[in-house]
Structure formats: C-alpha cells, structure tokens
Amino acid sequence: MTDVSVEALQKVKSALSAFQSDIAGISFRASAQMQNCLHVCNQKVAETQSIIRELETEIARLTKQIESLEDQIGQAYGQIQKIEQQLPLMERGVRNIESEISSLQKQLSALHAQLSGTEDHETQQQIQSHIYEINQRIRSLRHEQSDLEYQIRQSEEQRAKLRQRISDLKSDKAACEQKLAISRKRKNQYQNKLDRLKNLLGTVNSNFDAY
C-alpha cells in the first residue's frame, strides 16, 4: 500500500479549496452579469415605453389640430358661400337703382320741358314741386346705390381674405399631416423595438431561471 504523506494531502486539500473558490467566484460573476443584463433590458424597455407615450401624446395633439384646421376651413368655405349668395342680390339691387334713376332722369327732362313751355304760375308750381320730389328720390336712390356698392366692395375683400385664409389653413394642415405621418412611423418603429426588447427580456429571464 502506497504511503501518502501529510504534505501531499495538504496540497490536495488546498487544490480542492482553490477549485471551490474559483467555482464560487465564477458563479457570482455570472449571476452579477445576468442581473446587470436584466437591469439594462428593463431600463431600455422603460425608456422605449416612455418614448412611445410621448409619441402617442404628440399623435393625439396633431390629430386634434388637424380636426380643428378642417373645421376652420369648412367655416371659411361656408362664409364664402354666403357671400357669393349675397353678391348677386346686391349687384342686382345696384342695377335696379341705376335703372330707376335713369327713368327718373327722363321724367325730369320731360318736366323741365313742360316747365319752360308753360306760363301758368300754378302749373309751374306743380311742376317744380314734382321736380323737387323726383330730385329727392334720386338723391335717396344714389345714397342707397353708394351703400350697396360699398357693401359689394367689402364683401369682395372679405371673400379674398377668406380665400387666402383657406390657403394658409390648408398649408398648416398639410404640415401637420406630414408631422403626424412621421410621428406614427416613429411610434411603429419604437413599438417594434419594444416588442423585440420584451422578447429579449423574456429570453434573459428564462436563461436566468434555468441558471
């Protein structure tokens, strides 16, 4: 039987202890790395979820802004439609006034001719009174005509402003729609990233449990 010295046994014992320490150290380091990996994954998931929430808020804001712009565009079109319904009526009113003034002026010419052709004082007074009434009517009609023409100019200017406003609103809407498309695309990209991170996290958790 081979003798085993105490010194040899001590060496074996030391070697076993060193091996156990190495194994324990490896296990600790591996566990720490796994924990660190889990922390990083959870952190990335939280960051990505935060970005997605911000993008969802931005998408909701842009959607609401687009709806508001569409309402404003619709209102402006409605105002233009109302103006374009009123303009022909006002223009017809001006033509009617001009026609009446022309008729009254012909009557005045005839009355002046009568006045110069009569010497009867009473008849002259009647004709002059009639001339005065017609002149008063003409002045009133010219005032109505001036008011209507002013309203027409104001309506045309308002229509031009509304058309420019619609053009501006459409430009704003197009810009918002472009931003909305970009935000939706980014949200989809981050959502895909989140799904991949969750899958990775699930794999890491499974591996950690198995370990």
Side-chain angles (χ1 to χ4, degrees):
M1 181 175 180
T2 305
D3 291 333
V4 179
S5 67
V6 173
E7 184 180 352
L9 289 173
Q10 287 293 338
K11 287 182 179 179
V12 171
K13 184 178 179 181
S14 297
L16 288 172
S17 296
F19 178 73
Q20 288 174 343
S21 295
D22 288 343
I23 293 297
I26 291 170
S27 177
F28 176 79
R29 289 193 298 273
S31 177
Q33 287 177 351
M34 291 289 284
Q35 289 287 358
N36 182 61
C37 185
L38 282 171
H39 174 73
V40 170
C41 285
N42 281 313
Q43 190 176 34
K44 290 296 182 183
V45 166
E47 289 174 359
T48 305
Q49 286 174 330
S50 177
I51 293 171
I52 288 172
R53 283 193 296 271
E54 289 176 4
L55 287 168
E56 285 174 342
T57 300
E58 179 70 1
I59 287 167
R61 185 188 69 79
L62 287 168
T63 300
K64 188 175 181 181
Q65 189 173 350
I66 289 168
E67 289 172 355
S68 174
L69 289 168
E70 286 174 344
D71 288 342
Q72 292 177 63
I73 290 169
Q75 289 170 9
Y77 272 125
Q79 289 176 293
I80 287 175
Q81 186 178 14
K82 189 180 292 184
I83 289 170
E84 290 181 340
Q85 288 171 345
Q86 292 171 344
L87 274 173
L89 299 177
M90 291 189 286
E91 289 166 349
R92 190 179 304 120
V94 169
R95 289 195 298 271
N96 290 340
I97 289 171
E98 289 172 343
S99 177
E100 187 175 351
I101 288 172
S102 177
S103 176
L104 289 171
Q105 286 173 334
K106 288 178 182 178
Q107 291 180 42
L108 277 177
S109 296
L111 286 169
H112 281 297
Q114 288 179 24
L115 185 61
S116 62
T118 183
E119 295 180 357
D120 182 70
H121 180 68
E122 185 177 349
T123 301
Q124 286 178 341
Q125 284 185 328
Q126 289 176 349
I127 292 171
Q128 286 173 342
S129 176
H130 197 186
I131 288 171
Y132 175 80
E133 289 172 358
I134 290 175
N135 278 325
Q136 286 294 100
R137 176 59 181 161
I138 287 172
R139 277 194 290 272
S140 175
L141 286 169
R142 289 199 187 282
H143 182 72
E144 288 180 31
Q145 180 182 359
S146 178
D147 284 346
L148 274 175
E149 287 171 343
Y150 175 76
Q151 290 176 35
I152 288 169
R153 287 195 301 274
Q154 289 292 100
S155 295
E156 288 173 340
E157 288 175 8
Q158 182 65 15
R159 180 174 60 180
K161 288 178 182 177
L162 286 166
R163 284 173 174 168
Q164 182 59 50
R165 176 166 171 73
I166 287 170
S167 177
D168 293 341
L169 288 168
K170 284 183 175 180
S171 295
D172 292 344
K173 183 189 170 194
C176 285
E177 286 172 338
Q178 186 177 10
K179 290 179 183 177
L180 180 61
I182 292 169
S183 294
R184 282 176 171 165
K185 183 178 179 180
R186 288 188 66 211
K187 178 182 175 289
N188 288 336
Q189 289 172 340
Y190 276 102
Q191 186 62 56
N192 291 334
K193 180 181 178 181
L194 179 62
D195 293 339
R196 291 195 301 272
L197 284 170
K198 285 183 175 180
N199 288 334
L200 177 61
L201 185 60
T203 301
V204 172
N205 274 319
S206 298
N207 291 338
F208 187 70
D209 292 340
Y211 175 78

